Amino acid sequence: MATEVLEQVWITLSDGCRVGARIWLPDGARDAPVPAVLEYIPYRKRDGTRVRDEPMHGYFAEHGYASVRVDMRGSGDSDGHMADEYLPQEQDDALEVLTWIAAQDWCTGDIGMMGKSWGGFNCLQIAARRPPELKAVIPVYFTDDRFRDDIHFMGGCLLNDNQWWGSIMQAYQARPLDPEIVGDRWREDWLKRIDDLPFFPALWAEHQRYDDYWKHGSVQEDYSDITCPVLAFGGWADSYTNSVPRMLENLSVPCRGVIGPWGHVYPHDGVPGPAIGWLQEAVRWWDQWLKGIDTGVMNEPKLRAYVNDALLPDGSRPMQPGHWVGEAEWPSDEVKPLPLWLTKSGLADAPGTGEVSIRSPQSHGKAAGEWMSAGVPGEMPTDQRLDDGGSLNFDTDTLTEEVEVLGRPHLDLTLTSDSPVAQIVVRLCDVLPSGEVLRVSYQVLNLTHRDGHEHPEALEPGTPTKVRVALNMCGHRFAKGHKIRVSVGTAYWPIIWPAPYAATLSFGLDDACLSLPRRAGGDVHEMTFPDPAHGPLTPITQVDPGSVSRTSMQDHLTGETVYITDGVGGVFGEGVLRFDDIGTQIAHSLRRELRIRDDDPLSARSIIDQSYDTIRDGWNIRTETRLELTSTETEFHYDGMLRVLENGEELRKRTWHKTVPRNLI
């Protein structure tokens, strides 16, 4: 089907603010209206997500949908100010956008929303507002709990990705408005946006518990607010997988879930592979709920999941061996708990005796990989033997039969700490016959959050306390001849910021039990997903392939470990790109340096240097940022700098110095 692409359309909101849209229309839609699909995110449709948008929204248009990509207020070329993530204003604006789309002569009035990450969050948040035009949603890599499962905190611990993402948002929001879209006022509006730019990393770090700030936009507060059908996607290599089973368990509307092997990229581009025909799956969902066509989607298992097989633990993993399984319902009667007791001789079928203690070096976690894999080389966890020396490790005997798990493992312990604030990290691993150790799942927990994230309480040193650590959702087959390992440590750098004290944890073995969600198996079925497809590609030239490097080094005199990630030209491995049809070249480089000494959590230091170039003939806008974080026992210290230049001339420079009190973290 032929399509018409509207490069720039203004949608004027009730307060006069204009938000920019790019629209793909099926041929003939103006005479015979069609349903619409909306993606509503802040990542700059003109030259930010253009490579991804064109083949995705173009595909929807080829299959009979008006596809609308909107930059939110204060982002891209849209008017206004974006003060933070997921604000009420963002949702209010979306309701108006939906009303505008429904009123167009090319739209039937029935609309679906979809999106990945931010777009996955907000399509659920907006669904919870129950706009009458919204008939179905497809969230991809999302969370229903903004504190427990987002890029800022994990298990009540501050994620180092809070700094990384905050730095990227500073650079993203400082990009220039496009003169070809906005006109003569582009510079004035751009400089005002820079002058009003929030200091995102410190803003997020101020909220160290599940307070009203995080409750807003966390749809878990009342799942019944969502009354339209939901098709939810997650990926094992991504960081937003736990929300999929929670949604399936708690929604009362028609819903289905799919979890594949992928990182933080749409499943039709899925890495690690195999990628699937996600666009076809999306169209089937839209056809079912926007066109009233029975596509059979509700006859399929409630959860379809890819069960990983073991492979050598390489940080670069283009393909993941495994197989697809289906669960008619979730939670599934086919998944039963398998208890494995921690004993001094390993994991056993009966409790052990005695007590063990652990105090990990502060650099424990060097083999963790990134909190969120995005398909970039080197992001995946590497051989866990690098970290096993800093943890307590408990193995099964060599397996005489396979053990297939699907769900969330958990570890129950009664422990004591010698410090009022302490962290625990639990890793579930597959020990290969050749000796390599592959991480299957993990979880970190700030033990002051042991009874929940809303009201943390300090530990009383020396006093036993019961703790349950729920690991991340996983699907994995432990093969015959392998071993299952659970490892317990007290730090996980560079994933999380360290606790203020180097704590020693002790726990008894009489009630230390790992529970695995063992799946009965027996219903492995053939791959039911079509091969990946896409619409027309946007014309691009890769000016430079760029480079990506990841290194960790330890000074054996000082005990300091340095962990460096360096993306030159393209932070996500894309290199320097030129969008040929709009004559625009972009280059985005970021270097992150994390330092810590094994004996001193207060030695932790994070430095992120970044540049973003937007280039046309005779016009070069460059944004430079620097972000540094250090801490004491009682405070986080954030220092930031933003500098913007036009053709080499400095137009603005901003600095931030923010002290954030530590509250049991």
Side-chain angles (χ1 to χ4, degrees):
M1 180 183 294
T3 61
E4 175 187 0
V5 181
L6 308 178
E7 178 67 25
Q8 168 64 28
V9 175
W10 290 114
I11 302 173
T12 302
L13 305 176
S14 58
D15 64 355
C17 176
R18 299 180 309 165
V19 294
R22 194 166 182 235
I23 302 175
W24 291 255
L25 293 178
D27 186 39
R30 296 182 187 277
D31 299 319
V34 296
V37 174
L38 169 64
E39 185 181 21
Y40 174 71
I41 50 177
Y43 298 136
R44 197 175 174 96
K45 61 181 175 54
R46 178 73 161 164
D47 55 25
T49 59
R50 193 179 190 91
V51 171
R52 188 202 71 189
D53 291 348
E54 193 83 38
M56 180 167 62
H57 292 284
Y59 184 91
F60 293 148
E62 288 178 340
H63 288 77
Y65 291 90
S67 206
V68 184
R69 164 71 174 85
V70 172
D71 276 339
M72 300 181 333
R73 177 190 296 254
S75 70
D77 297 310
S78 296
D79 296 346
H81 174 56
M82 191 180 77
D84 200 355
E85 305 172 314
Y86 315 118
L87 294 174
Q89 181 73 64
E90 176 182 327
Q91 298 174 23
D92 292 344
D93 289 351
L95 299 182
E96 292 197 48
V97 169
L98 289 169
T99 299
W100 181 90
I101 294 171
Q104 301 310 297
D105 60 6
W106 38 259
C107 183
T108 62
D110 294 326
I111 305 172
M113 277 192 75
M114 47 74 65
K116 173 175 72 70
S117 200
W118 195 313
F121 284 42
N122 69 23
C123 74
L124 287 170
Q125 295 163 358
I126 294 158
R129 298 285 297 270
R130 301 185 181 182
E133 305 89 351
L134 187 59
K135 307 301 184 183
V137 296
I138 305 179
V140 182
Y141 313 148
F142 63 94
T143 188
D144 54 347
D145 184 335
R146 293 183 54 216
F147 184 79
R148 183 169 35 165
D149 281 311
D150 194 14
I151 203 166
H152 312 299
F153 294 88
M154 181 180 187
C157 305
L158 178 65
L159 284 164
N160 277 317
D161 274 43
N162 181 74
Q163 289 77 258
W164 176 83
W165 182 240
S167 174
I168 288 179
M169 281 302 294
Q170 299 281 124
Y172 277 3
Q173 284 299 97
R175 291 178 289 188
L177 281 70
D178 193 324
E180 293 184 2
I181 299 296
V182 178
D184 293 340
R185 64 179 179 84
W186 75 271
R187 183 182 284 103
E188 177 186 353
D189 288 358
W190 171 47
L191 294 179
K192 185 177 189 317
R193 184 175 292 180
I194 292 169
D195 292 341
D196 294 340
L197 189 65
F199 191 30
F200 290 114
L203 185 159
W204 299 327
E206 289 178 327
H207 298 274
Q208 298 164 21
R209 60 182 64 189
Y210 186 56
D211 57 13
D212 288 342
Y213 177 86
W214 302 113
K215 290 178 182 178
H216 169 76
S218 292
V219 297
Q220 70 162 5
E221 287 293 296
D222 191 348
Y223 290 104
S224 68
D225 286 340
I226 297 173
T227 56
C228 68
V230 177
L231 174 60
F233 282 84
W236 298 134
D238 185 56
S239 43
Y240 294 105
T241 305
N242 298 326
S243 299
V244 173
R246 286 200 298 261
M247 296 294 286
L248 298 183
E249 185 172 352
N250 289 286
L251 287 176
S252 57
V253 297
C255 58
R256 291 293 182 267
V258 179
I259 305 176
W262 320 294
H264 203 71
V265 289
Y266 273 108
H268 58 291
D269 297 320
V271 179
I276 65 168
W278 180 83
L279 292 171
Q280 298 96 305
E281 290 294 306
V283 167
R284 291 177 67 223
W285 194 252
W286 302 138
D287 284 351
Q288 180 82 27
W289 303 110
L290 304 186
K291 292 183 177 178
I293 301 170
D294 186 355
T295 62
V297 294
M298 297 310 296
N299 300 326
E300 293 170 350
K302 194 165 190 179
L303 175 64
R304 287 177 286 173
Y306 193 80
V307 175
N308 291 342
D309 285 334
L311 76 172
L312 291 176
D314 192 322
S316 298
R317 207 169 298 170
M319 290 296 295
Q320 171 63 56
H323 58 274
W324 288 96
V325 300
E327 297 292 348
E329 294 295 332
W330 192 264
S332 171
D333 291 338
E334 297 299 311
V335 177
K336 308 288 186 183
L338 171 63
L340 295 171
W341 300 88
L342 281 61
T343 74
K344 289 186 176 179
S345 59
L347 292 174
D349 57 7
T353 58
E355 185 177 87
V356 292
S357 299
I358 182 62
R359 175 175 169 175
S360 302
Q362 293 299 310
S363 64
H364 178 249
K366 292 190 290 292
E370 296 295 324
W371 173 78
M372 181 185 73
S373 168
V376 181
E379 288 180 321
M380 301 288 282
T382 55
D383 193 333
Q384 297 296 290
R385 288 179 294 186
L386 183 63
D387 288 330
D388 284 346
S391 60
L392 294 172
N393 308 306
F394 303 86
D395 293 0
T396 62
D397 293 335
T398 301
L399 297 176
T400 58
E401 62 179 9
E402 69 177 40
V403 175
E404 184 171 294
V405 298
L406 180 63
R408 299 196 68 177
H410 61 261
L411 178 65
D412 290 300
L413 300 166
T414 300
L415 58 77
T416 60
S417 170
D418 64 355
S419 302
V421 180
Q423 298 170 343
I424 187 171
V425 55
V426 180
R427 291 179 289 126
L428 174 66
C429 298
D430 188 331
V431 182
L432 280 62
S434 51
E436 293 89 353
V437 181
L438 174 72
R439 197 188 72 193
V440 172
S441 183
Y442 78 105
Q443 185 59 262
V444 299
L445 178 62
N446 175 354
L447 288 167
T448 70
H449 288 236
R450 61 197 178 276
D451 295 322
H453 299 302
E454 194 167 353
H455 303 291
E457 293 184 3
L459 295 161
E460 184 176 337
T463 299
T465 183
K466 288 186 177 296
V467 173
R468 168 169 286 189
V469 182
L471 279 68
N472 288 328
M473 178 82 175
C474 61
H476 185 81
R477 184 178 70 92
F478 294 91
K480 179 180 177 181
H482 292 218
K483 296 180 181 179
I484 300 171
R485 172 173 294 174
V486 65
S487 300
V488 180
T490 61
Y492 212 44
W493 182 264
I495 295 289
I496 57 174
W497 196 260
Y501 316 108
T504 298
L505 298 181
S506 303
F507 57 90
L509 297 175
D510 57 331
D511 66 349
C513 186
L514 172 71
S515 180
L516 293 180
R518 185 172 189 177
R519 188 173 179 279
D523 65 343
V524 173
H525 56 115
E526 296 297 324
M527 166 69 77
T528 57
F529 296 101
D531 292 333
H534 58 77
L537 303 179
T538 196
I540 60 169
T541 300
Q542 189 179 63
V543 178
D544 190 293
S547 64
V548 176
S549 66
R550 301 174 188 277
T551 58
S552 63
M553 300 167 286
Q554 186 168 41
D555 185 326
H556 294 288
L557 291 177
T558 66
E560 183 179 58
T561 292
V562 183
Y563 183 88
I564 296 173
T565 59
D566 197 3
V568 179
V571 170
F572 299 104
E574 66 275 25
V576 179
L577 301 180
R578 183 182 189 275
F579 298 104
D580 298 330
D581 53 349
I582 59 172
T584 302
Q585 178 178 311
I586 59 170
H588 186 191
S589 299
L590 184 148
R591 186 181 192 274
R592 181 180 65 164
E593 178 181 296
L594 299 163
R595 293 178 173 268
I596 199 164
R597 290 201 309 272
D598 275 343
D599 61 349
D600 183 9
L602 301 182
S603 68
R605 186 182 182 198
S606 170
I607 301 173
I608 301 174
D609 290 298
Q610 184 176 200
S611 65
Y612 199 107
D613 294 284
T614 305
I615 302 170
R616 289 185 182 153
D617 290 342
W619 188 63
N620 186 336
I621 302 295
R622 182 175 178 86
T623 298
E624 299 174 348
T625 70
R626 183 176 176 89
L627 174 65
E628 183 169 355
L629 172 62
T630 58
S631 66
T632 66
E633 285 188 19
T634 58
E635 295 172 333
F636 295 111
H637 294 284
Y638 284 92
D639 291 282
M641 183 277 295
L642 167 67
R643 182 170 176 253
V644 295
L645 305 95
E646 182 182 8
N647 296 330
E649 178 184 350
E650 182 176 292
L651 295 182
R652 280 290 191 277
K653 184 175 182 180
R654 291 195 61 190
T655 58
W656 294 267
H657 307 281
K658 181 72 174 180
T659 296
V660 176
R662 298 180 75 154
N663 188 352
L664 297 179
I665 191 169

